[in-house]
């Protein structure tokens, strides 16, 4: 009986701060890869700059065929440290995990302007409408909420926001 080839996702550990380098070199070799990212605002040379960072720093996903793909060049690829293993064999990542990562909503990429309507999603609460007032640090925003017939200013992480579309 002949074994059938099957593509599966695996986790690759990258060398420190070389996630994007590993991604580029693996893609050049023709491997199917996934490096989930998010945008973050950082202070660089006195200015706030929007930067893209790995969602799981130090790791990326690679899709490999168990029989047909050549696994040998992966370990010697620039930026790659190793394929994550449990014991002697690499453990595959379930397709459901990859599907959920791919289905994650994109973060707010546009610049918010004072007066923009946003939705706050805090754990344990239903979506709460608010109005964007201003930035409150690198990853925080100042919002105006209407609660109990009062207007309250609240500072929260930008990660909890989605833009209200009308």
């Amino acid at each position: 009986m002949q074994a059938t080839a099957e593509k599966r996702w695996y986790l690759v550990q990258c060398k420190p701060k070389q996630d994007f380098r590993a991604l580029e070199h693996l893609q050049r070799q023709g491997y199917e890869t996934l490096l989930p990212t998010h945008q973050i605002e950082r202070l660089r040379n006195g200015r706030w700059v929007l930067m893209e960072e790995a969602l799981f720093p130090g790791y990326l996903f690679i899709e490999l065929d168990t029989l047909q793909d050549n696994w040998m060049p992966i370990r010697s690829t620039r930026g790659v440290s190793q394929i994550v293993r449990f014991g002697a064999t690499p453990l595959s990542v379930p397709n459901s995990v990859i599907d959920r990562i791919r289905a994650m909503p994109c973060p707010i990429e546009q610049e918010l302007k004072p007066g923009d309507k946003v939705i706050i999603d805090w754990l344990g609460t239903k979506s709460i409408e608010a109005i964007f007032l201003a930035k409150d640090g690198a990853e925080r925003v100042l919002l105006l909420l209407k609660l109990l017939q009062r207007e309250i200013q609240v500072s929260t992480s930008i990660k909890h926001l989605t833009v209200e579309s009308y």
Side-chain angles (χ1 to χ4, degrees), residues 32-65:
E32 179 71 27
T33 56
L34 175 64
L35 178 61
T37 59
H38 66 112
Q39 291 189 336
I40 189 166
E41 197 172 25
R42 299 249 184 219
L43 188 61
R44 296 274 185 213
N45 299 327
R47 299 182 66 206
W48 290 107
V49 178
L50 206 57
M51 300 178 66
E52 192 172 10
E53 286 189 352
L55 190 60
F56 307 109
Y59 297 93
L60 61 85
F61 300 94
I62 187 167
E63 188 177 35
L64 297 168
D65 190 304

PDB file of all heavy atoms in Angstrom, residues 32-65:
ATOM      1  N   GLU A  32       4.738  27.732   0.641  1.00  0.00           N
ATOM      2  CA  GLU A  32       3.526  28.466   1.034  1.00  0.00           C
ATOM      3  C   GLU A  32       3.687  28.832   2.511  1.00  0.00           C
ATOM      4  O   GLU A  32       3.869  27.948   3.353  1.00  0.00           O
ATOM      5  CB  GLU A  32       2.290  27.595   0.832  1.00  0.00           C
ATOM      6  CG  GLU A  32       0.995  28.250   1.232  1.00  0.00           C
ATOM      7  CD  GLU A  32       0.570  29.362   0.284  1.00  0.00           C
ATOM      8  OE1 GLU A  32       0.937  29.328  -0.898  1.00  0.00           O
ATOM      9  OE2 GLU A  32      -0.147  30.269   0.748  1.00  0.00           O
ATOM     10  N   THR A  33       3.654  30.127   2.834  1.00  0.00           N
ATOM     11  CA  THR A  33       3.890  30.578   4.204  1.00  0.00           C
ATOM     12  C   THR A  33       2.781  31.515   4.667  1.00  0.00           C
ATOM     13  O   THR A  33       2.041  32.067   3.864  1.00  0.00           O
ATOM     14  CB  THR A  33       5.238  31.324   4.309  1.00  0.00           C
ATOM     15  OG1 THR A  33       5.227  32.401   3.376  1.00  0.00           O
ATOM     16  CG2 THR A  33       6.404  30.400   4.021  1.00  0.00           C
ATOM     17  N   LEU A  34       2.715  31.697   5.975  1.00  0.00           N
ATOM     18  CA  LEU A  34       1.755  32.616   6.575  1.00  0.00           C
ATOM     19  C   LEU A  34       2.417  33.279   7.768  1.00  0.00           C
ATOM     20  O   LEU A  34       2.875  32.604   8.694  1.00  0.00           O
ATOM     21  CB  LEU A  34       0.497  31.860   7.018  1.00  0.00           C
ATOM     22  CG  LEU A  34      -0.549  32.669   7.783  1.00  0.00           C
ATOM     23  CD1 LEU A  34      -1.142  33.763   6.899  1.00  0.00           C
ATOM     24  CD2 LEU A  34      -1.653  31.754   8.294  1.00  0.00           C
ATOM     25  N   LEU A  35       2.505  34.595   7.729  1.00  0.00           N
ATOM     26  CA  LEU A  35       3.033  35.379   8.844  1.00  0.00           C
ATOM     27  C   LEU A  35       1.963  36.396   9.224  1.00  0.00           C
ATOM     28  O   LEU A  35       1.867  37.460   8.616  1.00  0.00           O
ATOM     29  CB  LEU A  35       4.339  36.087   8.471  1.00  0.00           C
ATOM     30  CG  LEU A  35       4.959  36.975   9.548  1.00  0.00           C
ATOM     31  CD1 LEU A  35       5.318  36.166  10.786  1.00  0.00           C
ATOM     32  CD2 LEU A  35       6.185  37.690   9.008  1.00  0.00           C
ATOM     33  N   PRO A  36       1.119  36.056  10.210  1.00  0.00           N
ATOM     34  CA  PRO A  36       0.083  37.014  10.623  1.00  0.00           C
ATOM     35  C   PRO A  36       0.727  38.258  11.224  1.00  0.00           C
ATOM     36  O   PRO A  36       1.660  38.159  12.029  1.00  0.00           O
ATOM     37  CB  PRO A  36      -0.712  36.253  11.687  1.00  0.00           C
ATOM     38  CG  PRO A  36      -0.264  34.839  11.608  1.00  0.00           C
ATOM     39  CD  PRO A  36       1.084  34.833  10.973  1.00  0.00           C
ATOM     40  N   THR A  37       0.231  39.417  10.810  1.00  0.00           N
ATOM     41  CA  THR A  37       0.786  40.677  11.299  1.00  0.00           C
ATOM     42  C   THR A  37      -0.324  41.593  11.806  1.00  0.00           C
ATOM     43  O   THR A  37      -1.504  41.356  11.555  1.00  0.00           O
ATOM     44  CB  THR A  37       1.553  41.411  10.174  1.00  0.00           C
ATOM     45  OG1 THR A  37       0.657  41.671   9.095  1.00  0.00           O
ATOM     46  CG2 THR A  37       2.741  40.593   9.688  1.00  0.00           C
ATOM     47  N   HIS A  38       0.093  42.620  12.502  1.00  0.00           N
ATOM     48  CA  HIS A  38      -0.815  43.672  12.924  1.00  0.00           C
ATOM     49  C   HIS A  38      -0.041  44.976  12.881  1.00  0.00           C
ATOM     50  O   HIS A  38       1.185  44.981  12.859  1.00  0.00           O
ATOM     51  CB  HIS A  38      -1.397  43.398  14.322  1.00  0.00           C
ATOM     52  CG  HIS A  38      -0.377  43.432  15.409  1.00  0.00           C
ATOM     53  ND1 HIS A  38      -0.357  44.399  16.378  1.00  0.00           N
ATOM     54  CD2 HIS A  38       0.677  42.624  15.691  1.00  0.00           C
ATOM     55  CE1 HIS A  38       0.650  44.183  17.214  1.00  0.00           C
ATOM     56  NE2 HIS A  38       1.291  43.110  16.808  1.00  0.00           N
ATOM     57  N   GLN A  39      -0.772  46.069  12.827  1.00  0.00           N
ATOM     58  CA  GLN A  39      -0.126  47.373  12.781  1.00  0.00           C
ATOM     59  C   GLN A  39      -0.088  47.968  14.170  1.00  0.00           C
ATOM     60  O   GLN A  39      -1.032  47.836  14.952  1.00  0.00           O
ATOM     61  CB  GLN A  39      -0.854  48.299  11.822  1.00  0.00           C
ATOM     62  CG  GLN A  39      -0.691  47.855  10.385  1.00  0.00           C
ATOM     63  CD  GLN A  39      -1.224  48.866   9.413  1.00  0.00           C
ATOM     64  OE1 GLN A  39      -2.080  49.669   9.740  1.00  0.00           O
ATOM     65  NE2 GLN A  39      -0.705  48.836   8.203  1.00  0.00           N
ATOM     66  N   ILE A  40       1.022  48.636  14.447  1.00  0.00           N
ATOM     67  CA  ILE A  40       1.214  49.253  15.748  1.00  0.00           C
ATOM     68  C   ILE A  40       1.887  50.608  15.528  1.00  0.00           C
ATOM     69  O   ILE A  40       2.670  50.776  14.595  1.00  0.00           O
ATOM     70  CB  ILE A  40       2.062  48.339  16.663  1.00  0.00           C
ATOM     71  CG1 ILE A  40       2.097  48.867  18.081  1.00  0.00           C
ATOM     72  CG2 ILE A  40       3.457  48.164  16.118  1.00  0.00           C
ATOM     73  CD1 ILE A  40       2.614  47.874  19.083  1.00  0.00           C
ATOM     74  N   GLU A  41       1.544  51.552  16.367  1.00  0.00           N
ATOM     75  CA  GLU A  41       2.112  52.882  16.248  1.00  0.00           C
ATOM     76  C   GLU A  41       3.280  53.016  17.219  1.00  0.00           C
ATOM     77  O   GLU A  41       3.151  52.725  18.405  1.00  0.00           O
ATOM     78  CB  GLU A  41       1.034  53.929  16.544  1.00  0.00           C
ATOM     79  CG  GLU A  41       1.394  55.300  16.074  1.00  0.00           C
ATOM     80  CD  GLU A  41       0.231  56.261  16.203  1.00  0.00           C
ATOM     81  OE1 GLU A  41      -0.646  56.043  17.039  1.00  0.00           O
ATOM     82  OE2 GLU A  41       0.224  57.252  15.469  1.00  0.00           O
ATOM     83  N   ARG A  42       4.437  53.414  16.707  1.00  0.00           N
ATOM     84  CA  ARG A  42       5.650  53.555  17.527  1.00  0.00           C
ATOM     85  C   ARG A  42       6.230  54.952  17.335  1.00  0.00           C
ATOM     86  O   ARG A  42       6.092  55.564  16.283  1.00  0.00           O
ATOM     87  CB  ARG A  42       6.705  52.545  17.106  1.00  0.00           C
ATOM     88  CG  ARG A  42       6.283  51.126  17.259  1.00  0.00           C
ATOM     89  CD  ARG A  42       7.064  50.499  18.360  1.00  0.00           C
ATOM     90  NE  ARG A  42       6.679  49.085  18.411  1.00  0.00           N
ATOM     91  CZ  ARG A  42       6.535  48.436  19.506  1.00  0.00           C
ATOM     92  NH1 ARG A  42       6.752  49.020  20.648  1.00  0.00           N
ATOM     93  NH2 ARG A  42       6.194  47.172  19.500  1.00  0.00           N
ATOM     94  N   LEU A  43       6.923  55.411  18.352  1.00  0.00           N
ATOM     95  CA  LEU A  43       7.597  56.699  18.287  1.00  0.00           C
ATOM     96  C   LEU A  43       8.991  56.491  17.704  1.00  0.00           C
ATOM     97  O   LEU A  43       9.805  55.770  18.283  1.00  0.00           O
ATOM     98  CB  LEU A  43       7.683  57.314  19.685  1.00  0.00           C
ATOM     99  CG  LEU A  43       8.179  58.743  19.779  1.00  0.00           C
ATOM    100  CD1 LEU A  43       7.259  59.680  19.014  1.00  0.00           C
ATOM    101  CD2 LEU A  43       8.260  59.186  21.230  1.00  0.00           C
ATOM    102  N   ARG A  44       9.255  57.045  16.528  1.00  0.00           N
ATOM    103  CA  ARG A  44      10.549  56.935  15.855  1.00  0.00           C
ATOM    104  C   ARG A  44      11.036  58.333  15.504  1.00  0.00           C
ATOM    105  O   ARG A  44      10.361  59.073  14.802  1.00  0.00           O
ATOM    106  CB  ARG A  44      10.446  56.131  14.557  1.00  0.00           C
ATOM    107  CG  ARG A  44      10.064  54.704  14.751  1.00  0.00           C
ATOM    108  CD  ARG A  44      11.291  53.878  15.036  1.00  0.00           C
ATOM    109  NE  ARG A  44      10.871  52.485  15.097  1.00  0.00           N
ATOM    110  CZ  ARG A  44      11.414  51.600  15.875  1.00  0.00           C
ATOM    111  NH1 ARG A  44      12.401  51.919  16.643  1.00  0.00           N
ATOM    112  NH2 ARG A  44      10.983  50.367  15.878  1.00  0.00           N
ATOM    113  N   ASN A  45      12.200  58.683  16.008  1.00  0.00           N
ATOM    114  CA  ASN A  45      12.798  59.998  15.731  1.00  0.00           C
ATOM    115  C   ASN A  45      11.831  61.141  16.038  1.00  0.00           C
ATOM    116  O   ASN A  45      11.713  62.089  15.277  1.00  0.00           O
ATOM    117  CB  ASN A  45      13.277  60.088  14.281  1.00  0.00           C
ATOM    118  CG  ASN A  45      14.332  59.053  13.967  1.00  0.00           C
ATOM    119  OD1 ASN A  45      15.125  58.690  14.831  1.00  0.00           O
ATOM    120  ND2 ASN A  45      14.341  58.582  12.741  1.00  0.00           N
ATOM    121  N   GLY A  46      11.109  61.019  17.139  1.00  0.00           N
ATOM    122  CA  GLY A  46      10.207  62.074  17.564  1.00  0.00           C
ATOM    123  C   GLY A  46       8.876  62.127  16.834  1.00  0.00           C
ATOM    124  O   GLY A  46       8.102  63.046  17.028  1.00  0.00           O
ATOM    125  N   ARG A  47       8.598  61.143  15.954  1.00  0.00           N
ATOM    126  CA  ARG A  47       7.345  61.125  15.203  1.00  0.00           C
ATOM    127  C   ARG A  47       6.654  59.784  15.394  1.00  0.00           C
ATOM    128  O   ARG A  47       7.292  58.754  15.510  1.00  0.00           O
ATOM    129  CB  ARG A  47       7.616  61.319  13.702  1.00  0.00           C
ATOM    130  CG  ARG A  47       8.287  62.648  13.416  1.00  0.00           C
ATOM    131  CD  ARG A  47       8.505  62.857  11.945  1.00  0.00           C
ATOM    132  NE  ARG A  47       7.204  62.982  11.283  1.00  0.00           N
ATOM    133  CZ  ARG A  47       6.988  62.692  10.030  1.00  0.00           C
ATOM    134  NH1 ARG A  47       7.964  62.252   9.275  1.00  0.00           N
ATOM    135  NH2 ARG A  47       5.794  62.833   9.495  1.00  0.00           N
ATOM    136  N   TRP A  48       5.328  59.804  15.395  1.00  0.00           N
ATOM    137  CA  TRP A  48       4.562  58.574  15.480  1.00  0.00           C
ATOM    138  C   TRP A  48       4.510  57.954  14.104  1.00  0.00           C
ATOM    139  O   TRP A  48       4.106  58.581  13.138  1.00  0.00           O
ATOM    140  CB  TRP A  48       3.145  58.840  15.996  1.00  0.00           C
ATOM    141  CG  TRP A  48       3.123  59.228  17.434  1.00  0.00           C
ATOM    142  CD1 TRP A  48       2.885  60.463  17.943  1.00  0.00           C
ATOM    143  CD2 TRP A  48       3.367  58.376  18.543  1.00  0.00           C
ATOM    144  NE1 TRP A  48       2.966  60.439  19.314  1.00  0.00           N
ATOM    145  CE2 TRP A  48       3.256  59.156  19.710  1.00  0.00           C
ATOM    146  CE3 TRP A  48       3.676  57.028  18.682  1.00  0.00           C
ATOM    147  CZ2 TRP A  48       3.440  58.637  20.980  1.00  0.00           C
ATOM    148  CZ3 TRP A  48       3.850  56.509  19.963  1.00  0.00           C
ATOM    149  CH2 TRP A  48       3.732  57.316  21.079  1.00  0.00           C
ATOM    150  N   VAL A  49       4.928  56.690  14.014  1.00  0.00           N
ATOM    151  CA  VAL A  49       4.978  55.977  12.743  1.00  0.00           C
ATOM    152  C   VAL A  49       4.192  54.682  12.884  1.00  0.00           C
ATOM    153  O   VAL A  49       4.316  53.970  13.881  1.00  0.00           O
ATOM    154  CB  VAL A  49       6.445  55.660  12.355  1.00  0.00           C
ATOM    155  CG1 VAL A  49       6.515  54.891  11.063  1.00  0.00           C
ATOM    156  CG2 VAL A  49       7.254  56.925  12.274  1.00  0.00           C
ATOM    157  N   LEU A  50       3.374  54.377  11.882  1.00  0.00           N
ATOM    158  CA  LEU A  50       2.619  53.136  11.862  1.00  0.00           C
ATOM    159  C   LEU A  50       3.522  52.039  11.304  1.00  0.00           C
ATOM    160  O   LEU A  50       4.045  52.151  10.208  1.00  0.00           O
ATOM    161  CB  LEU A  50       1.381  53.304  10.981  1.00  0.00           C
ATOM    162  CG  LEU A  50       0.191  52.420  11.272  1.00  0.00           C
ATOM    163  CD1 LEU A  50      -0.284  52.568  12.713  1.00  0.00           C
ATOM    164  CD2 LEU A  50      -0.940  52.724  10.328  1.00  0.00           C
ATOM    165  N   MET A  51       3.730  50.969  12.098  1.00  0.00           N
ATOM    166  CA  MET A  51       4.624  49.883  11.696  1.00  0.00           C
ATOM    167  C   MET A  51       3.863  48.562  11.687  1.00  0.00           C
ATOM    168  O   MET A  51       2.902  48.399  12.420  1.00  0.00           O
ATOM    169  CB  MET A  51       5.800  49.791  12.665  1.00  0.00           C
ATOM    170  CG  MET A  51       6.638  51.038  12.741  1.00  0.00           C
ATOM    171  SD  MET A  51       7.961  50.887  13.931  1.00  0.00           S
ATOM    172  CE  MET A  51       8.950  49.641  13.157  1.00  0.00           C
ATOM    173  N   GLU A  52       4.325  47.637  10.871  1.00  0.00           N
ATOM    174  CA  GLU A  52       3.741  46.314  10.817  1.00  0.00           C
ATOM    175  C   GLU A  52       4.620  45.370  11.626  1.00  0.00           C
ATOM    176  O   GLU A  52       5.833  45.329  11.434  1.00  0.00           O
ATOM    177  CB  GLU A  52       3.640  45.833   9.366  1.00  0.00           C
ATOM    178  CG  GLU A  52       2.802  44.620   9.195  1.00  0.00           C
ATOM    179  CD  GLU A  52       2.554  44.282   7.739  1.00  0.00           C
ATOM    180  OE1 GLU A  52       3.190  44.879   6.862  1.00  0.00           O
ATOM    181  OE2 GLU A  52       1.707  43.425   7.497  1.00  0.00           O
ATOM    182  N   GLU A  53       4.008  44.619  12.554  1.00  0.00           N
ATOM    183  CA  GLU A  53       4.740  43.672  13.392  1.00  0.00           C
ATOM    184  C   GLU A  53       4.086  42.307  13.313  1.00  0.00           C
ATOM    185  O   GLU A  53       2.891  42.188  13.047  1.00  0.00           O
ATOM    186  CB  GLU A  53       4.730  44.130  14.852  1.00  0.00           C
ATOM    187  CG  GLU A  53       5.629  45.292  15.141  1.00  0.00           C
ATOM    188  CD  GLU A  53       5.745  45.567  16.637  1.00  0.00           C
ATOM    189  OE1 GLU A  53       5.010  44.951  17.434  1.00  0.00           O
ATOM    190  OE2 GLU A  53       6.571  46.415  17.000  1.00  0.00           O
ATOM    191  N   ALA A  54       4.882  41.269  13.584  1.00  0.00           N
ATOM    192  CA  ALA A  54       4.368  39.907  13.604  1.00  0.00           C
ATOM    193  C   ALA A  54       3.403  39.749  14.779  1.00  0.00           C
ATOM    194  O   ALA A  54       3.668  40.231  15.880  1.00  0.00           O
ATOM    195  CB  ALA A  54       5.506  38.908  13.722  1.00  0.00           C
ATOM    196  N   LEU A  55       2.296  39.076  14.540  1.00  0.00           N
ATOM    197  CA  LEU A  55       1.321  38.816  15.591  1.00  0.00           C
ATOM    198  C   LEU A  55       1.882  37.834  16.612  1.00  0.00           C
ATOM    199  O   LEU A  55       1.630  37.941  17.807  1.00  0.00           O
ATOM    200  CB  LEU A  55       0.030  38.268  14.976  1.00  0.00           C
ATOM    201  CG  LEU A  55      -1.180  38.142  15.875  1.00  0.00           C
ATOM    202  CD1 LEU A  55      -1.583  39.497  16.452  1.00  0.00           C
ATOM    203  CD2 LEU A  55      -2.348  37.553  15.096  1.00  0.00           C
ATOM    204  N   PHE A  56       2.672  36.867  16.133  1.00  0.00           N
ATOM    205  CA  PHE A  56       3.354  35.903  17.001  1.00  0.00           C
ATOM    206  C   PHE A  56       4.854  36.091  16.775  1.00  0.00           C
ATOM    207  O   PHE A  56       5.450  35.386  15.956  1.00  0.00           O
ATOM    208  CB  PHE A  56       2.950  34.463  16.655  1.00  0.00           C
ATOM    209  CG  PHE A  56       1.469  34.238  16.633  1.00  0.00           C
ATOM    210  CD1 PHE A  56       0.802  34.036  15.435  1.00  0.00           C
ATOM    211  CD2 PHE A  56       0.734  34.235  17.811  1.00  0.00           C
ATOM    212  CE1 PHE A  56      -0.561  33.827  15.409  1.00  0.00           C
ATOM    213  CE2 PHE A  56      -0.630  34.029  17.791  1.00  0.00           C
ATOM    214  CZ  PHE A  56      -1.288  33.829  16.591  1.00  0.00           C
ATOM    215  N   PRO A  57       5.489  37.032  17.481  1.00  0.00           N
ATOM    216  CA  PRO A  57       6.910  37.318  17.230  1.00  0.00           C
ATOM    217  C   PRO A  57       7.771  36.063  17.367  1.00  0.00           C
ATOM    218  O   PRO A  57       7.649  35.307  18.324  1.00  0.00           O
ATOM    219  CB  PRO A  57       7.268  38.343  18.305  1.00  0.00           C
ATOM    220  CG  PRO A  57       5.965  38.949  18.701  1.00  0.00           C
ATOM    221  CD  PRO A  57       4.936  37.865  18.534  1.00  0.00           C
ATOM    222  N   GLY A  58       8.623  35.855  16.370  1.00  0.00           N
ATOM    223  CA  GLY A  58       9.538  34.729  16.394  1.00  0.00           C
ATOM    224  C   GLY A  58       9.005  33.470  15.733  1.00  0.00           C
ATOM    225  O   GLY A  58       9.695  32.451  15.706  1.00  0.00           O
ATOM    226  N   TYR A  59       7.784  33.523  15.181  1.00  0.00           N
ATOM    227  CA  TYR A  59       7.189  32.341  14.570  1.00  0.00           C
ATOM    228  C   TYR A  59       6.433  32.693  13.293  1.00  0.00           C
ATOM    229  O   TYR A  59       5.888  33.784  13.176  1.00  0.00           O
ATOM    230  CB  TYR A  59       6.219  31.653  15.535  1.00  0.00           C
ATOM    231  CG  TYR A  59       6.894  31.131  16.768  1.00  0.00           C
ATOM    232  CD1 TYR A  59       6.974  31.905  17.921  1.00  0.00           C
ATOM    233  CD2 TYR A  59       7.480  29.867  16.778  1.00  0.00           C
ATOM    234  CE1 TYR A  59       7.610  31.433  19.052  1.00  0.00           C
ATOM    235  CE2 TYR A  59       8.115  29.390  17.910  1.00  0.00           C
ATOM    236  CZ  TYR A  59       8.179  30.171  19.034  1.00  0.00           C
ATOM    237  OH  TYR A  59       8.818  29.701  20.150  1.00  0.00           O
ATOM    238  N   LEU A  60       6.409  31.738  12.366  1.00  0.00           N
ATOM    239  CA  LEU A  60       5.559  31.830  11.186  1.00  0.00           C
ATOM    240  C   LEU A  60       5.084  30.426  10.835  1.00  0.00           C
ATOM    241  O   LEU A  60       5.585  29.440  11.374  1.00  0.00           O
ATOM    242  CB  LEU A  60       6.265  32.505  10.013  1.00  0.00           C
ATOM    243  CG  LEU A  60       7.535  31.888   9.434  1.00  0.00           C
ATOM    244  CD1 LEU A  60       7.233  30.809   8.413  1.00  0.00           C
ATOM    245  CD2 LEU A  60       8.314  32.984   8.740  1.00  0.00           C
ATOM    246  N   PHE A  61       4.111  30.345   9.968  1.00  0.00           N
ATOM    247  CA  PHE A  61       3.547  29.064   9.572  1.00  0.00           C
ATOM    248  C   PHE A  61       3.998  28.726   8.157  1.00  0.00           C
ATOM    249  O   PHE A  61       4.155  29.614   7.323  1.00  0.00           O
ATOM    250  CB  PHE A  61       2.010  29.115   9.615  1.00  0.00           C
ATOM    251  CG  PHE A  61       1.467  29.428  10.978  1.00  0.00           C
ATOM    252  CD1 PHE A  61       1.167  30.734  11.347  1.00  0.00           C
ATOM    253  CD2 PHE A  61       1.246  28.423  11.906  1.00  0.00           C
ATOM    254  CE1 PHE A  61       0.658  31.032  12.597  1.00  0.00           C
ATOM    255  CE2 PHE A  61       0.741  28.703  13.166  1.00  0.00           C
ATOM    256  CZ  PHE A  61       0.448  30.003  13.509  1.00  0.00           C
ATOM    257  N   ILE A  62       4.189  27.424   7.893  1.00  0.00           N
ATOM    258  CA  ILE A  62       4.588  26.959   6.568  1.00  0.00           C
ATOM    259  C   ILE A  62       3.762  25.721   6.222  1.00  0.00           C
ATOM    260  O   ILE A  62       3.504  24.877   7.079  1.00  0.00           O
ATOM    261  CB  ILE A  62       6.100  26.655   6.514  1.00  0.00           C
ATOM    262  CG1 ILE A  62       6.543  26.338   5.090  1.00  0.00           C
ATOM    263  CG2 ILE A  62       6.474  25.522   7.467  1.00  0.00           C
ATOM    264  CD1 ILE A  62       8.070  26.330   4.920  1.00  0.00           C
ATOM    265  N   GLU A  63       3.310  25.670   4.962  1.00  0.00           N
ATOM    266  CA  GLU A  63       2.530  24.522   4.511  1.00  0.00           C
ATOM    267  C   GLU A  63       3.456  23.584   3.744  1.00  0.00           C
ATOM    268  O   GLU A  63       4.115  23.989   2.788  1.00  0.00           O
ATOM    269  CB  GLU A  63       1.365  24.966   3.614  1.00  0.00           C
ATOM    270  CG  GLU A  63       0.422  23.840   3.281  1.00  0.00           C
ATOM    271  CD  GLU A  63      -0.761  24.298   2.450  1.00  0.00           C
ATOM    272  OE1 GLU A  63      -0.600  25.199   1.607  1.00  0.00           O
ATOM    273  OE2 GLU A  63      -1.857  23.748   2.654  1.00  0.00           O
ATOM    274  N   LEU A  64       3.509  22.333   4.191  1.00  0.00           N
ATOM    275  CA  LEU A  64       4.407  21.358   3.588  1.00  0.00           C
ATOM    276  C   LEU A  64       3.668  20.072   3.257  1.00  0.00           C
ATOM    277  O   LEU A  64       2.781  19.653   4.001  1.00  0.00           O
ATOM    278  CB  LEU A  64       5.564  21.036   4.546  1.00  0.00           C
ATOM    279  CG  LEU A  64       6.490  22.193   4.893  1.00  0.00           C
ATOM    280  CD1 LEU A  64       7.389  21.815   6.049  1.00  0.00           C
ATOM    281  CD2 LEU A  64       7.309  22.591   3.687  1.00  0.00           C
ATOM    282  N   ASP A  65       4.084  19.460   2.177  1.00  0.00           N
ATOM    283  CA  ASP A  65       3.587  18.150   1.800  1.00  0.00           C
ATOM    284  C   ASP A  65       4.486  17.128   2.482  1.00  0.00           C
ATOM    285  O   ASP A  65       5.720  17.203   2.385  1.00  0.00           O
ATOM    286  CB  ASP A  65       3.650  17.995   0.277  1.00  0.00           C
ATOM    287  CG  ASP A  65       2.940  16.762  -0.201  1.00  0.00           C
ATOM    288  OD1 ASP A  65       3.293  15.660   0.266  1.00  0.00           O
ATOM    289  OD2 ASP A  65       2.040  16.898  -1.040  1.00  0.00           O
TER     290      ASP A  65
END
